[in-house]
């Protein structure tokens, strides 16, 4: 799965080739040569040598040449590699001693680095596991080899004389001629790498090959015209070119390829045939531009999305837990990026930056390839009742029995205090036209009328979601000939889900776990579109396919429509999918049995006339509703926020905030990280043991947790799947497993090392126990933490600016509840830390949402006043509403601790 993140077939093939080479080498070695090691151990050893060994050189004939010796030098090999080591350094070997010297003064705490100049950034990535900082001189390949170039050229522009072999020969002749010409000019010989560079560089071999192929085709055209005598050219010259016009053309093209800038061609060329040559090089520039755009279009993420993934990783940290990886066949990950994922994203960012720099040098932007084909969805608002009546007639024909007390109507989506004026979109919903009693049948639907795929089979690359989307497109393409035509005709033509957001709008989300998952979903949809056969998707454009995928995930159900009443995951069930979701729902089908292939939906509570009918799609958080359905619910009792990527991260964070073991090493980054790691290793097993006791039921759960579970039960979700997580929930309730982890840590760290609190504060005995006094100091403590620029720069119980307020709170409690209070305070502090990481505050978001609903007037010079409306896209408004709700959830956790 990490290999998929490369998004580059050639690099992926290189990785697999290296692995095969290592495996072959391992199998060729004798058992005793590897000390009986396993292959994984051998691969580790090779990776250490690749990344850390120093290549030794020796002087022969006054030239420095490799000695084929690679040494792992203690300490020196541990220095990070850098193209520009800071500080500058040098080394030498004298009398068998390796001497490493710095060439200028070094400040305490400076990270030492050795100077490393890999052959290429690709080599640094493949063999040393890092991506150097980008430079204008960096390059990226656009073809793997000449064979791939010829295949692409023949496909894009047709082969020379419709002969692929001849095309390959002409391209090779061009490259060979350029190499010989370089040698005659005493220029350094270089291999063709078919690359481009951020400074506008294009491999002259590639330029020469494209220009030569263009010239060859033009000469063939001329030779077949009435000008044949003038050009003195015959296609046979390709084989016997000595002394022919073709030989002259090859030499001229080779010479010019070395000297001209393909992005800025001279007005005139110096020799005869200049017009044809200029046309050839102009064509080469356009072809290279088209190739780059083709590569960029093949990526499943764009540069903006990749940079946001890196930003998310910087905020969340990386996942180094091999046991917590997504399944190999999953379409995307829901956990944070691994170290290898992060490296892969950095490498593809490096490549995309180069490609975009190259495109910026091109003056002619015509002919740019786009992955959006010319066909598009015909988006139109269906406001008349004709199509709706056709659908209701269709329902009647398929033996649907629908209560006469229900009506399908257009309902303003997101009808809340933050809905933007003039931008409220309409969605179809069902309302009660009369009062409906509890237990009344609302409708009976025949499952055989559902639209689902029961024929296609999925593999590891394309899953049932993709196949269902493809089926919907095929049925849509049939028009009136489709069995489901009246149903498809009333499906929404546009849904402002985050999946369809512009890349520059993604930053509006601000909650990095959601941003990361959203980008991975978008990536999976784009990848599946390219994997499916064009015929399978009825030759639809990507925009049409994305629409279908959105329809499937937001409207499909899991229903027993297959043989023997087996369930299918993605069933489009007409009429049923018009009942919108809400946690306080009335329509119930979960508790009703399937009888004779029919699904009955009943009212689980009373409905008043005019009330919208809601169903439950399950206990869904605002994250799920936002990502897949394009809306959120205020005061959602099932909402949550994962405040640590894992318990491992939570343990490390707690130890950094409360313990003093490593504080004396704070000025030495490396030493502090080593101490921090060992401290984490020491306390992690004890925390995991406490979590195991919690999972087994050996530890009790908090009162507020049971209150939340009871609230879930009131909304019909008595059996919410529970998985211990470092998470906070609606109403500021903390997952009991996280409290358990923090309490166990406090028991083995703080309780045994708590300073003498009596000396930290002064107050009358009665005041110290007074709850008003205690809560006042709790508020002062949190305000103090919020006022500091770096509140966690040293442990809270070690000369911290806010220490006195905290001490007064702890002192007022019995010592046996100190650890519980410390655990709750820790959760609140983490929520404050996350709130501080958002680019905007709760108040700012509230104002943004409020202002988006208002018109504003502007006075004109003529005295008239014009009313204008600040226009924001529905997607941006949705993202702002989502992040605002997320911040309120985090803030509610702090408020609950203040009221403790």
């Amino acid at each position: 799965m990490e290999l998929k993140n490369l998004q580059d077939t050639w690099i992926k093939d290189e990785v697999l080739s290296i692995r095969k080479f290592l495996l072959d080498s391992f199998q060729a070695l004798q058992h005793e040569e590897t000390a009986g090691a396993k292959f994984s151990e051998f691969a580790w050893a090779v990776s250490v040598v690749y990344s850390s060994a120093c290549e030794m050189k020796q002087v022969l004939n006054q030239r420095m040449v490799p000695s084929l010796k690679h040494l792992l030098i203690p300490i020196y090999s541990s220095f990070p590699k850098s193209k520009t080591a800071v500080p500058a350094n040098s080394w030498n070997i004298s009398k068998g001693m390796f001497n490493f010297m710095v060439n200028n003064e070094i400040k305490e705490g400076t990270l030492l680095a050795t100077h490393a100049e890999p052959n290429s950034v690709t080599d640094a990535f493949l063999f040393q596991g890092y991506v150097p900082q980008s430079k204008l001189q960096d390059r990226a390949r656009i073809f793997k080899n000449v064979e791939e170039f010829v295949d692409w050229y023949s496909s894009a522009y047709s082969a020379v004389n419709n002969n692929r072999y001849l095309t390959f020969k002409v391209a090779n002749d061009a490259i060979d001629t350029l190499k010989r010409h370089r040698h005659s000019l005493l220029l350094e010989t270089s291999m063709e790498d078919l690359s481009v560079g951020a400074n506008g560089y294009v491999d002259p071999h590639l330029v020469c090959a494209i220009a030569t192929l263009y010239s060859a085709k033009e000469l063939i055209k001329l030779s077949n015209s009435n000008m044949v005598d003038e050009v003195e050219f015959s296609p046979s010259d390709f084989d016997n070119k000595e002394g022919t016009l073709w030989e002259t053309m090859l030499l001229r093209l080779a010479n010019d390829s070395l000297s001209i800038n393909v992005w800025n061609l001279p007005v005139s060329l110096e020799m005869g045939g200049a017009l044809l040559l200029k046309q050839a090089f102009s064509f080469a520039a356009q072809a290279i531009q088209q190739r780059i755009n083709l590569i960029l279009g093949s990526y499943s993420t764009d540069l903006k999305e990749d940079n946001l993934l890196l930003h998310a990783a910087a905020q969340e940290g990386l996942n180094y837990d091999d046991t917590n990886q997504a399944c190999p066949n999953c379409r995307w990950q829901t956990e944070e990026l691994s170290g290898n994922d992060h490296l892969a994203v950095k490498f593809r960012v490096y490549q995309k930056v180069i490609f975009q720099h190259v495109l910026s040098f091109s003056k002619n932007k015509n002919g740019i390839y786009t992955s959006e084909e010319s066909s598009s969805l015909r988006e139109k608002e269906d406001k008349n009742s004709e199509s709706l009546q056709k659908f209701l007639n269709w329902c009647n024909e398929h033996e649907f029995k629908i209560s006469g007390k229900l009506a399908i109507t257009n309902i303003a989506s997101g009808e809340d205090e933050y809905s933007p004026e003039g931008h409220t979109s309409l969605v179809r919903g069902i309302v009660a036209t009369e009062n409906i009693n509890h237990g009344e049948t609302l409708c009976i639907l025949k499952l055989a009328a559902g639209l689902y795929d029961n024929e296609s089979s999925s593999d590891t690359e394309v899953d049932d979601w993709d196949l269902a989307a493809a089926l919907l497109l095929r049925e849509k393409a049939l028009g009136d000939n489709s069995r489901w035509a009246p149903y498809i005709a009333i499906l929404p033509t546009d849904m402002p889900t985050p999946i369809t957001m512009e890349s520059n709008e993604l930053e509006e989300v601000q909650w990095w776990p959601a941003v990361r998952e959203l980008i991975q979903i978008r990536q999976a949809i784009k990848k599946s579109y390219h994997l499916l056969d064009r015929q399978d998707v009825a030759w639809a454009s990507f925009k049409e396919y994305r629409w279908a995928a959105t329809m499937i995930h937001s409207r499909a159900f899991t229903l027993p429509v297959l043989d023997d009443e087996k369930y299918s995951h993605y069933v489009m069930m007409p009429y049923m999918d018009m009942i919108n979701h809400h946690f306080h729902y009335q329509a119930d089908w979960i508790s009703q049995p399937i009888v004779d292939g029919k699904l009955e939906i009943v009212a689980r509570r009373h409905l008043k006339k005019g009330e919208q009918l809601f169903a439950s799609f399950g206990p869904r958080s605002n994250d799920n509703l936002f990502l897949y359905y394009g809306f959120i619910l205020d005061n959602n009792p099932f909402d949550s926020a994962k405040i640590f990527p894992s318990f491992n991260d939570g343990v490390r964070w707690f130890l950094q905030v409360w313990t003093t073991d490593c504080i004396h090493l704070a000025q030495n980054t490396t030493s502090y990280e080593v101490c921090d790691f060992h401290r984490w290793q020491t306390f992690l097993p004890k925390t995991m043991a406490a979590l195991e006791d919690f999972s087994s039921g050996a530890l009790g759960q908090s009162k507020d947790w049971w209150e939340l579970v009871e609230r879930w039960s009131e909304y019909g979700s008595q059996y919410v799947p529970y998985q211990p997580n470092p998470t906070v929930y609606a109403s500021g309730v903390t997952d009991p497993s996280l409290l358990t982890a923090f309490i166990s840590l406090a028991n083995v760290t703080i309780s045994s090392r708590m300073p003498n609190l009596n000396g930290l504060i002064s107050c009358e005995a009665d005041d110290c126990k007074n709850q008003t006094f205690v809560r006042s100091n709790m508020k002062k403590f949190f305000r103090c933490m919020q006022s500091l620029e770096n509140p966690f720069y040293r442990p809270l119980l070690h000369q911290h600016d806010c220490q006195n307020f905290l001490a007064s709170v702890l002192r007022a409690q019995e010592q046996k509840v100190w650890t519980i209070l410390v655990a709750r305070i820790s959760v609140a502090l983490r929520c404050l830390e996350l709130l501080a990481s958002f680019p905007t505050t709760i108040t700012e978001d509230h104002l943004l949402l409020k202002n988006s609903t208002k018109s504003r007037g502007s006075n004109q010079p003529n005295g008239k006043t014009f009313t204008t409306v600040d226009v924001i896209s529905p997607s941006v408004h949705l993202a702002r509403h989502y992040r605002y709700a997320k911040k309120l959830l985090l803030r509610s956790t702090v408020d609950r601790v203040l009221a403790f």
Side-chain angles (χ1 to χ4, degrees):
M1 188 158 194
E2 291 172 333
L3 276 176
K4 292 179 182 178
N5 269 326
L6 288 171
Q7 297 183 13
D8 186 310
T9 304
W10 174 65
I11 296 296
K12 182 178 177 180
D13 289 344
E14 284 290 301
V15 173
L16 295 176
S17 176
I18 293 168
R19 289 184 178 180
K20 184 179 184 304
F21 170 76
L22 292 182
L23 183 60
D24 291 343
S25 301
F26 175 73
Q27 292 172 344
L29 289 167
Q30 296 296 321
H31 187 71
E32 57 273 13
E33 289 182 290
T34 58
K38 296 180 293 186
F39 173 68
S40 59
E41 295 170 316
F42 173 74
W44 165 82
V46 174
S47 68
V48 169
V49 172
Y50 276 160
S51 62
S52 302
C54 301
E55 180 185 13
M56 309 310 294
K57 296 184 178 181
Q58 58 186 341
V59 177
L60 290 177
N61 299 324
Q62 298 182 340
R63 293 183 63 188
M64 188 74 73
V65 297
S67 65
L68 301 181
K69 291 182 179 179
H70 292 77
L71 302 182
L72 284 171
I73 302 173
I75 301 178
Y76 183 82
S77 293
S78 300
F79 291 157
K81 305 297 186 293
S82 170
K83 274 191 171 183
T84 54
V86 179
N89 59 69
S90 60
W91 59 270
N92 61 45
I93 297 178
S94 176
K95 298 180 179 179
M97 298 295 290
F98 180 88
N99 303 304
F100 175 67
M101 296 157 288
V102 293
N103 300 335
N104 48 19
E105 293 184 0
I106 312 173
K107 292 183 179 180
E108 183 178 352
T110 300
L111 181 67
L112 292 176
T114 61
H115 182 78
E117 191 70 45
N119 293 330
S120 66
V121 174
T122 301
D123 282 354
F125 168 75
L126 289 173
F127 300 108
Q128 295 182 300
Y130 79 104
V131 178
Q133 186 174 0
S134 297
K135 290 184 174 183
L136 288 177
Q137 293 77 20
D138 289 340
R139 301 176 185 178
R141 283 194 176 192
I142 60 175
F143 294 103
K144 181 179 178 179
N145 49 40
V146 177
E147 288 81 359
E148 185 186 44
F149 159 69
V150 170
D151 287 340
W152 172 80
Y153 180 91
S154 300
S155 174
Y157 303 109
S158 77
V160 176
N161 219 22
N162 295 318
N163 186 325
R164 186 198 176 278
Y165 170 77
L166 180 58
T167 306
F168 183 76
K169 182 182 187 312
V170 170
N172 263 327
D173 283 348
I175 292 173
D176 289 342
T177 302
L178 187 141
K179 287 180 179 179
R180 288 196 301 271
H181 187 59
R182 287 183 70 103
H183 183 72
S184 68
L185 296 176
L186 302 180
L187 296 176
E188 183 179 351
T189 303
S190 65
M191 292 295 295
E192 67 278 6
D193 59 8
L194 310 180
S195 67
V196 294
N199 58 356
Y201 166 85
V202 181
D203 179 10
H205 300 88
L206 179 59
V207 173
C208 187
I210 298 175
T212 303
L213 288 171
Y214 176 88
S215 300
K217 293 172 74 172
E218 289 300 307
L219 286 175
I220 290 175
K221 287 181 185 178
L222 292 174
S223 70
N224 292 332
S225 69
N226 294 329
M227 300 175 61
V228 62
D229 294 331
E230 298 180 26
V231 297
E232 298 179 354
F233 172 80
S234 169
S236 62
D237 293 347
F238 291 132
D239 294 316
N240 303 298
K241 55 181 176 288
E242 187 174 351
T244 65
L245 172 64
W246 180 238
E247 183 182 38
T248 303
M249 288 289 291
L250 279 176
L251 288 171
R252 178 64 192 275
L253 287 164
N255 181 70
D256 288 346
S257 296
L258 291 173
S259 58
I260 67 170
N261 178 358
V262 74
W263 307 118
N264 187 20
L265 296 176
V267 177
S268 61
L269 299 175
E270 296 176 359
M271 293 177 59
L275 179 59
L276 176 58
L277 291 172
K278 188 169 184 179
Q279 289 174 342
F281 286 116
S282 179
F283 173 80
Q286 293 180 37
I288 292 165
Q289 183 184 0
Q290 180 170 340
R291 174 64 179 180
I292 292 173
N293 277 286
L294 179 64
I295 293 172
L296 289 173
S298 70
Y299 286 116
S300 51
T301 54
D302 60 28
L303 183 58
K304 184 70 175 180
E305 290 172 323
D306 285 342
N307 280 321
L308 285 172
L309 280 176
L310 294 178
H311 198 157
Q315 297 291 324
E316 297 182 285
L318 299 177
N319 179 12
Y320 291 103
D321 183 3
D322 292 337
T323 63
N324 192 32
Q325 293 298 310
C327 63
N329 298 338
C330 291
R331 302 185 61 208
W332 61 81
Q333 301 159 258
T334 56
E335 69 279 350
E336 68 274 16
L337 298 181
S338 71
N340 288 333
D341 290 329
H342 186 258
L343 183 63
V345 174
K346 286 185 70 176
F347 182 73
R348 70 186 192 221
V349 164
Y350 156 81
Q351 289 182 303
K352 291 173 187 177
V353 167
I354 291 177
F355 292 147
Q356 292 202 351
H357 271 295
V358 174
L359 290 179
S360 69
F361 281 87
S362 174
K363 292 181 180 180
N364 178 16
K365 301 296 182 183
N366 296 326
I368 293 181
Y369 171 90
T370 173
S371 60
E372 297 286 351
E373 285 80 357
S374 58
S375 58
S376 64
L377 288 172
R378 293 167 176 81
E379 299 172 350
K380 55 185 179 180
E381 195 72 32
D382 181 19
K383 296 183 179 179
N384 58 59
S385 61
E386 183 179 349
S387 60
L388 184 57
Q389 189 57 51
K390 287 183 178 179
F391 170 69
L392 291 175
N393 293 339
W394 181 90
C395 291
N396 187 51
E397 292 170 3
H398 286 78
E399 302 178 24
F400 283 19
K401 296 181 179 179
I402 302 170
S403 170
K405 297 180 180 180
L406 298 176
I408 300 173
T409 186
N410 288 326
I411 299 170
S413 67
E415 280 189 316
D416 54 64
E417 59 177 317
Y418 303 117
S419 297
E421 182 178 314
H423 294 280
T424 303
S425 57
L426 297 176
V427 296
R428 281 203 172 84
I430 298 176
V431 297
T433 56
E434 300 178 33
N435 290 341
I436 297 177
N437 296 320
H438 170 265
E440 233 181 289
T441 296
L442 300 172
C443 59
I444 299 176
L445 309 177
K446 195 173 181 179
L447 293 178
L451 174 60
Y452 59 93
D453 188 339
N454 63 347
E455 298 178 356
S456 303
S457 60
S458 65
D459 54 29
T460 57
E461 293 292 323
V462 179
D463 68 7
D464 292 341
W465 181 5
D466 308 316
L467 297 175
L471 174 63
L472 176 58
L473 286 172
R474 293 198 299 274
E475 290 295 332
K476 185 174 183 291
L478 291 174
D480 292 339
N481 293 324
S482 171
R483 176 189 169 193
W484 291 272
Y487 167 62
I488 294 173
I490 64 169
L491 290 175
T493 56
D494 181 38
M495 287 186 65
T497 67
I499 291 174
T500 62
M501 289 176 73
E502 297 294 331
S503 296
N504 59 358
E505 295 176 335
L506 293 176
E507 287 183 334
E508 292 283 352
V509 178
Q510 292 188 4
W511 182 242
W512 293 111
V515 173
R516 171 175 43 77
E517 185 171 353
L518 174 56
I519 293 172
Q520 290 167 338
I521 294 169
R522 289 155 62 105
Q523 175 182 343
I525 292 174
K526 189 171 184 181
K527 183 176 181 180
S528 64
Y529 172 70
H530 289 295
L531 288 172
L532 287 164
D533 188 86
R534 296 303 89 203
Q535 186 173 356
D536 289 339
V537 296
W539 292 275
S541 69
F542 173 67
K543 185 176 181 181
E544 289 171 312
Y545 176 75
R546 187 177 61 186
W547 168 82
T550 304
M551 290 297 105
I552 294 298
H553 204 283
S554 63
R555 306 180 77 85
F557 299 91
T558 299
L559 294 171
V561 295
L562 303 177
D563 295 339
D564 300 327
E565 294 190 351
K566 292 182 180 179
Y567 282 80
S568 177
H569 289 297
Y570 298 106
V571 181
M572 297 284 282
M573 197 67 214
Y575 192 82
M576 184 177 175
D577 65 354
M578 293 186 187
I579 307 176
N580 293 316
H581 167 81
H582 199 280
F583 54 83
H584 195 44
Y585 64 99
Q586 316 98 330
D588 173 35
W589 61 72
I590 300 297
S591 62
Q592 304 304 306
I594 305 294
V595 179
D596 296 330
K598 296 179 180 179
L599 174 70
E600 182 180 11
I601 303 177
V602 300
R604 66 184 293 268
R605 62 182 178 84
H606 180 75
L607 276 86
K608 294 181 180 179
K609 179 181 178 180
E611 187 178 352
Q612 184 181 177
L613 178 67
F614 288 111
S616 172
F617 301 163
R620 299 190 182 276
S621 67
N622 276 342
D623 301 294
N624 186 275
L625 296 175
F626 169 71
L627 288 170
Y628 299 104
Y629 297 89
F631 70 95
I632 70 163
L633 295 174
D634 291 322
N635 304 312
N636 184 355
F638 299 103
D639 202 13
S640 62
K642 196 173 181 182
I643 62 174
F644 295 104
S646 67
F647 282 109
N648 290 356
D649 298 287
V651 170
R652 177 166 286 180
W653 179 90
F654 183 95
L655 294 172
Q656 291 171 346
V657 170
W658 291 100
T659 63
T660 60
D661 304 53
C662 304
I663 191 64
H664 62 290
L665 300 171
Q667 299 302 317
N668 188 317
T669 304
T670 303
S671 299
Y672 178 83
E673 289 177 351
V674 171
C675 176
D676 179 56
F677 177 75
H678 286 302
R679 177 177 58 184
W680 170 75
Q681 280 189 317
T682 301
F683 290 105
L684 182 62
K686 299 175 183 178
T687 307
M688 293 297 107
L691 287 173
E692 287 180 11
D693 290 341
F694 167 80
S695 299
S696 66
L699 300 176
Q701 297 180 359
S702 59
K703 177 183 175 182
D704 54 2
W705 174 255
W706 285 117
E707 290 174 351
L708 179 63
V709 172
E710 188 174 327
R711 189 180 173 200
W712 289 345
S713 179
E714 290 173 359
Y715 289 120
S717 296
Q718 296 92 334
Y719 307 106
V720 176
Y722 173 70
Q723 182 70 32
N725 266 310
T727 301
V728 294
Y729 295 89
S731 303
V733 177
T734 302
D735 192 303
S737 63
L738 180 58
L739 289 177
T740 298
F742 281 176
I743 290 171
S744 71
L745 284 167
N747 279 325
V748 296
T749 57
I750 299 173
S751 61
S752 62
R753 306 178 190 187
M754 190 71 72
N756 184 0
L757 298 180
N758 292 322
L760 293 178
I761 60 172
S762 60
C763 66
E764 298 296 330
D766 291 339
D767 288 340
C768 286
K769 299 292 182 180
N770 184 283
Q771 287 302 306
T772 303
F773 177 81
V774 173
R775 287 181 178 174
S776 173
N777 278 289
M778 179 78 88
K779 290 180 180 179
K780 290 177 181 178
F781 167 67
F782 283 122
R783 280 199 296 266
C784 176
M785 293 294 287
Q786 286 180 291
S787 68
L788 299 178
E789 186 174 348
N790 295 302
F792 300 109
Y793 71 104
R794 60 174 176 270
L796 286 172
L797 298 179
H798 182 79
Q799 302 173 357
H800 197 281
D801 297 354
C802 308
Q803 178 177 297
N804 285 359
F805 299 123
L806 175 62
S808 67
V809 172
L810 294 175
R811 182 182 175 186
Q813 310 299 320
E814 295 183 22
Q815 192 163 351
K816 63 181 181 181
V817 301
W818 274 1
T819 54
I820 299 175
L821 187 55
V822 164
R824 290 187 174 274
I825 289 173
S826 298
V827 173
L829 288 176
R830 175 58 178 172
C831 289
L832 284 177
E833 186 179 26
L834 290 172
L835 285 169
S837 70
F838 284 104
T840 55
T841 65
I842 292 176
T843 302
E844 290 168 339
D845 283 344
H846 180 72
L847 290 173
L848 283 171
L849 290 169
K850 280 290 187 183
N851 290 339
S852 68
T853 69
K854 297 177 181 178
S855 302
R856 55 184 174 86
S858 59
N859 294 320
Q860 303 300 314
N862 58 10
K864 295 182 179 180
T865 299
F866 291 93
T867 299
T868 61
V869 178
D870 291 327
V871 179
I872 62 168
S873 72
S875 297
V876 169
H877 176 77
L878 174 64
R880 290 175 178 176
H881 194 180
Y882 166 76
R883 79 193 191 209
Y884 177 67
K886 186 65 65 179
K887 293 171 188 178
L888 289 179
L889 174 64
L890 294 170
R891 182 69 214 186
S892 68
T893 307
V894 180
D895 293 339
R896 180 174 280 272
V897 173
L898 287 172
F900 177 68

